[in-house]
Amino acid sequence: MMKTENDHNHGIARKILFFLKFLEIRLRFVLILLITALVVGYWDNIQNYYERWQRNRATPAGHAHEGETAAQIQSEFEYTCAMHPFVVRDHPGKCPICGMDLIKRKKGAQVQLPEGTLARVQVSPERIMQAGVQIEPVAYRLLMRAVRTYGVIETDETRVAKIVARFPGRIDELMVNSVGLVVKKGEPLARIYSPKFLAATQEYLQAVKAERQANMDSQASADDKRRAGQLAEFARQRLLLAGFTTEQLNGIREQGKVSESVTLNSPLAGTVLEKNALPGQMVEEGSTLYTIADLSTVWVQALTIESDLSAVNVGMPVEVTSVSWPGEIFYGTVDFIYPTVDLQNRSVKVRVVVANPAGKLKPGMYVMAVMRSPVGRYGDADKVAKDTKKDLPITEAKMAEMGAGEKTNAHAAMKMDSSAPDLSKQPSKPVKLPTETQADADAFLARLAPGAEYYHCTMDPEVVSDKPGDCPKCGMHLAKANKERKPEPQGHEGPAGQGQGRPAAGPPVGQLVAARADQPSTEQWAEGYSCEMHPDELSDKPGVCSICGCGMKLKKMRIERVPSIPESAVVDTGTRQIVYVESQPGVYDAREVKLGARAGAFYPVLSGLKLGDKIVARGSFLIDAEARLNPATAGVGTEGAGSTGGENKPAEHAGHPHGG
C-alpha cells in the first residue's frame, strides 16, 4: 500500500517535470523570436550606444576640462573634400581624387557647398554609361512658342448692316426675297408704301419750291433767301437721317414729284443672312427687315488658355485650318485680345481677322488656329539692330555700373559671343599668372593661339595659367584644356551633341544664315530673310516663302537667340525646378533654376545658369535618384535644402557615421 502511494506521487512529479520541460522548449523559441525582434527594431539605438561607448573609451577622462591636450582637441575635428564629401580624414592633407586641400570641420558639421548648390552627387562611370548620361553646355537657341487652339468663325462686326424701316407702312415689293443671296452696294432690297414718308417728301418739295421762289424774287431780302435755304436743307437732312440716299433726294428735287413709297437699298456689298419681311406685311418704324454681312473678311474667336497668353501679341500672324477644307491654310492676323478671362474654362478670347475672298469659311464653323512667336526679340533687321543695346561692346564704364551678377553674365556673354571685343588686338598688358580676375583671364586667353594648351580651375573660372599647379583660391589641381579653334563660316550649324557635347559655333552676327530652332549657337542674334508666318525659318536669299505656300514676301529679319536647356535636363519637383551641373567628371551639382515657358523641347533660362555651364541633358532623373536614395554619395540631400549651400542639411558619410 505504501509502495503504491509512493509510485503515484513519483508519477505526478514526473508529469510535472515533463510539462515544465515541454514548456521550456516551447518558450525557448518564443523568447528567441522576441529577442530577435527587439534587436532588429532597436538596432539603430544599439548601434548609436555602441559608437558613443567607443568614443568615450577613445577620449580620456576630463576631456572638457582645462587639462585637455592638443590631440584631444584635434579629435573633435575632421577633414573633408568640398568636391568629394565622402572623403573624410582625421588629419589635414589633400584629396586623393582631385588633389584639393581638405577642409577642416567639426565632426558632424554640415558640408558647405558653393552658393546656389542644393546638393552634390558623384556617380560611377558604370552607372553613367547604363543611364546614357549626356552632357552639353548652356547655349543660345532660336526658340519659338507655338500656341495651338481652336476657335469659332464669326462675322466681322464692322462689315454687318441691318436694314430697318425708317417709316411705318406696308411692304409692297421685295426685290431680294431669300436668305443667302449676294447683293451689291446700292442694290434695291424692298419697296414700302408709307403715308408718313409721303408727308415727309411733300414737306421737302414745298421747302425746295419756297427756296426757288425766294431766289427768283428780286424783292426778297437776303434774310428771306437764307431762311428759305435753311428750311429746304433741314427737310433734306431729315430724309437723309431716315435712310434716303443722296441720289434719291437729288432725283426728288430735280423731278419735283412726290413718291408714295420708299425704296430701301443695300448700304454694302455682302450676303443676306436674315430676312424678316414678306410682301404685304405691315411694318413699324425701326423694324429690322434684312441683315447683310460682308463675308470676304471674317473673325475667328480663338480661345487661348492663360499659360499661353504671354506668347500672343496684337499684329502677329495666325494659321487657320478647318476640317471642311483639309490641307488648305487660311492666314490671318491677331486684331484684339479681350480684357477678361472666362471663369469656367480659364481662357481668353483672341480675335483673329482672316481674309475669306472665296467664302469658304462660314460663320459658326469650328477651326484650328496656330500662332507662332519667337521667345526673343525680333523684327526688321535694321530697326532691331538700332534698338538693341546688347550688340554693343561692353565697355569698362558700363561694367563698373553693373552689379556682381550682371558682371558674371556679361563676362559669360563676352566669352560666348564672337561679337565681343577682340582683346588680342588691344594693347598688351602684363598679366599675373595664375590669374585672379575674369578680366585678366579673358586677356590671357585672347592672346593664346587657337589650339594652344592652358590650365584652369573648374571651381573658379577666373583662375587660368600657362603652367600646371594648384588654384590659389581653393587649392584644387588646375585642369588642362585647349583653346578652341574658331570654326569656318558655314551656311548651317552642326547638330548638338557632337564631340564633347559642345554646340557648333554659329557664323558671325550679320551674316545671313539658315537658322534652325533646335541648333545651339554661340551667337546671340540670327539674321536673314523670313516671312511673318515663320520668323524662325531664315534664308540667306530674299524671295517668296515656300515653306507653307502662303506666298508672303520674305523680309530681312533679326531674331534674338536666348540661353536655353533641353526639357529632359529639368527635374521638376512641383515647387521648384532643378538642373544638375557637371563640376567634375562624374560629380554633379544640383541647382535651382528659373525657367521661362517651354518652347518645343527646350526651356529658356531666366536665372540659375550661365552660358557655358555643362549640364546633364539626359539622365538627370538617374542622378536625382542617386542623390535622394544614396545620401552618402550625394553629400547633401535635396529634400529640405535651401537655395544656398549654408542652408543644407548634414549627411552621414559611409564609414564615418555621426551618431548621437
Side-chain angles (χ1 to χ4, degrees):
M1 182 70 179
M2 192 69 177
K3 183 177 180 181
T4 305
E5 224 176 273
N6 290 336
D7 292 341
H8 178 70
N9 294 336
H10 186 65
I12 293 175
R14 283 201 309 266
K15 288 180 180 181
I16 294 174
L17 183 61
F18 175 78
F19 175 75
L20 293 177
K21 288 184 177 181
F22 176 79
L23 187 62
E24 177 190 2
I25 295 173
R26 294 294 184 182
L27 292 178
R28 185 185 305 168
F29 292 103
V30 176
L31 185 60
I32 292 174
L33 291 176
L34 180 61
I35 294 174
T36 303
L38 291 175
V39 170
V40 172
Y42 292 92
W43 178 254
D44 291 339
N45 292 342
I46 296 173
Q47 189 178 22
N48 289 337
Y49 281 117
Y50 176 77
E51 291 171 356
R52 183 182 300 175
W53 177 66
Q54 289 287 79
R55 287 199 301 271
N56 292 336
R57 288 185 58 192
T59 304
H63 168 73
H65 298 285
E66 299 179 357
E68 58 185 1
T69 63
Q72 294 169 354
I73 297 176
Q74 184 70 16
S75 64
E76 296 183 4
F77 297 93
E78 62 185 5
Y79 298 84
T80 183
C81 176
M83 288 296 297
H84 304 89
F86 52 86
V87 176
V88 181
R89 298 289 185 270
D90 57 356
H91 57 276
K94 291 185 176 294
C95 176
I97 300 176
C98 63
M100 188 175 176
D101 287 335
L102 298 181
I103 300 173
K104 183 180 179 181
R105 71 175 184 186
K106 204 165 186 178
K107 288 185 177 180
Q110 62 185 16
V111 178
Q112 296 293 333
L113 296 177
E115 184 178 358
T117 301
L118 302 177
R120 176 168 290 162
V121 59
Q122 185 177 33
V123 185
S124 64
E126 293 78 9
R127 295 286 290 163
I128 293 176
M129 293 180 62
Q130 290 174 0
V133 174
Q134 295 182 8
I135 306 297
E136 68 176 55
V138 178
Y140 287 118
R141 284 184 179 87
L142 204 164
L143 299 185
M144 290 285 296
R145 289 188 63 186
V147 179
R148 302 179 184 274
T149 183
Y150 75 95
V152 181
I153 299 294
E154 294 183 359
T155 57
D156 187 343
E157 294 178 0
T158 63
R159 297 170 180 262
V160 178
K162 289 186 177 296
I163 312 303
V164 299
R166 303 301 180 96
F167 296 99
R170 181 185 69 247
I171 299 176
D172 282 349
E173 183 182 0
L174 291 179
M175 291 76 165
V176 177
N177 55 8
S178 176
V179 173
L181 293 179
V182 178
V183 297
K184 299 178 181 179
K185 183 177 181 180
E187 182 176 344
L189 303 175
R191 186 167 54 86
I192 301 176
Y193 167 76
S194 174
K196 189 175 182 179
F197 165 72
L198 178 61
T201 54
Q202 288 177 345
E203 181 183 351
Y204 174 59
L205 282 178
Q206 291 176 358
V208 170
K209 289 180 181 180
E211 180 185 11
R212 289 176 180 174
Q213 290 177 358
N215 291 333
M216 294 176 63
D217 188 0
S218 58
Q219 297 181 356
S221 63
D223 290 340
D224 293 338
K225 294 180 180 180
R226 179 176 55 82
R227 282 195 296 269
Q230 288 178 347
L231 290 175
E233 184 62 26
F234 291 157
R236 181 184 178 90
Q237 289 296 327
R238 282 196 296 271
L239 292 178
L240 284 174
L241 294 175
F244 280 83
T245 63
T246 303
E247 291 78 8
Q248 288 176 323
L249 294 179
N250 291 339
I252 294 175
R253 184 185 181 94
E254 293 174 0
Q255 295 176 6
K257 295 181 180 180
V258 178
S259 176
E260 297 180 352
S261 61
V262 58
T263 301
L264 302 180
N265 299 324
S266 175
L268 76 166
T271 303
V272 178
L273 300 183
E274 295 180 5
K275 183 182 77 71
N276 302 317
L278 294 173
Q281 178 182 349
M282 298 299 296
V283 294
E284 298 293 333
E285 183 178 356
S287 300
T288 301
L289 304 181
Y290 295 94
T291 300
I292 299 175
D294 181 5
L295 299 181
S296 61
T297 300
V298 295
W299 285 352
V300 175
Q301 299 290 2
L303 298 180
T304 306
I305 60 177
E306 290 180 87
S307 59
D308 291 336
L309 195 59
S310 59
V312 181
N313 302 304
V314 175
M316 67 185 301
V318 183
E319 287 185 2
V320 178
T321 57
S322 171
V323 294
S324 301
W325 307 98
E328 187 169 356
I329 301 176
F330 303 88
Y331 300 97
T333 305
V334 175
D335 180 61
F336 182 72
I337 301 174
Y338 286 80
T340 58
V341 178
D342 191 325
L343 296 178
Q344 294 181 352
N345 53 25
R346 309 305 304 171
S347 63
V348 178
K349 279 188 178 182
V350 176
R351 189 172 71 202
V352 181
V353 179
V354 182
N356 185 35
K360 294 182 178 181
L361 299 178
K362 313 294 183 183
M365 182 182 292
Y366 279 97
V367 293
M368 299 299 297
V370 180
M371 294 167 273
R372 296 183 178 91
S373 173
V375 175
R377 294 165 291 175
Y378 71 102
D380 181 78
D382 297 333
K383 184 177 183 303
V384 173
K386 184 184 298 184
D387 294 342
T388 53
K389 298 180 180 180
K390 287 189 176 181
D391 295 334
L392 301 177
I394 301 177
T395 60
E396 294 183 0
K398 186 176 179 181
M399 290 289 291
E401 298 175 357
M402 294 183 177
E406 293 177 334
K407 289 182 179 180
T408 303
N409 296 332
H411 284 306
M414 291 174 64
K415 293 175 68 179
M416 295 291 293
D417 195 347
S418 62
S419 62
D422 188 357
L423 299 177
S424 61
K425 297 181 181 179
Q426 296 180 0
S428 60
K429 299 179 182 179
V431 178
K432 180 183 177 181
L433 298 178
T435 61
E436 296 183 357
T437 64
Q438 189 67 47
D440 290 344
D442 292 339
F444 171 75
L445 294 175
R447 295 165 191 164
L448 290 180
E453 295 181 352
Y454 69 97
Y455 297 86
H456 69 102
C457 178
T458 56
M459 288 291 294
D460 302 290
E462 66 273 10
V463 177
V464 296
S465 178
D466 58 345
K467 298 178 181 180
D470 296 336
C471 175
K473 293 188 176 182
C474 65
M476 186 176 176
H477 290 321
L478 298 180
K480 186 177 180 181
N482 294 81
K483 183 179 180 182
E484 295 183 6
R485 299 180 181 273
K486 294 183 179 180
E488 297 295 333
Q490 51 189 350
H492 295 272
E493 300 170 357
Q498 292 182 350
Q500 298 297 325
R502 295 181 177 274
V509 174
Q511 182 177 348
L512 304 183
V513 298
R516 290 182 56 190
D518 58 347
Q519 291 181 337
S521 174
T522 58
E523 303 297 334
Q524 184 178 3
W525 293 93
E527 194 171 301
Y529 293 92
S530 69
C531 74
E532 296 180 356
M533 198 63 62
H534 305 276
D536 59 326
E537 299 289 345
L538 298 179
S539 173
D540 56 355
K541 296 180 181 179
V544 178
C545 179
S546 59
I547 298 173
C548 61
C550 60
M552 294 185 181
K553 187 178 180 181
L554 301 182
K555 299 180 181 179
K556 189 177 181 181
M557 304 285 286
R558 187 172 175 85
I559 305 180
E560 182 184 18
R561 296 187 179 98
V562 295
S564 59
I565 58 176
E567 179 186 11
S568 57
V570 181
V571 178
D572 197 334
T573 65
T575 57
R576 58 187 177 186
Q577 294 168 314
I578 297 174
V579 172
Y580 283 89
V581 181
E582 184 186 49
S583 56
Q584 282 285 321
V587 180
Y588 307 98
D589 292 347
R591 292 187 192 174
E592 182 177 359
V593 295
K594 293 187 181 299
L595 307 174
R598 183 169 61 89
F602 300 94
Y603 281 102
V605 178
L606 302 181
S607 64
L609 295 172
K610 62 179 182 295
L611 292 172
D613 281 348
K614 296 180 180 179
I615 63 169
V616 179
R618 294 187 182 276
S620 56
F621 282 94
L622 167 73
I623 297 176
D624 187 65
E626 290 284 344
R628 294 174 183 274
L629 299 178
N630 191 0
T633 60
V636 178
T638 56
E639 285 297 332
S643 59
T644 61
E647 299 175 358
N648 293 325
K649 295 182 179 181
E652 300 294 336
H653 302 293
H656 300 273
H658 307 290

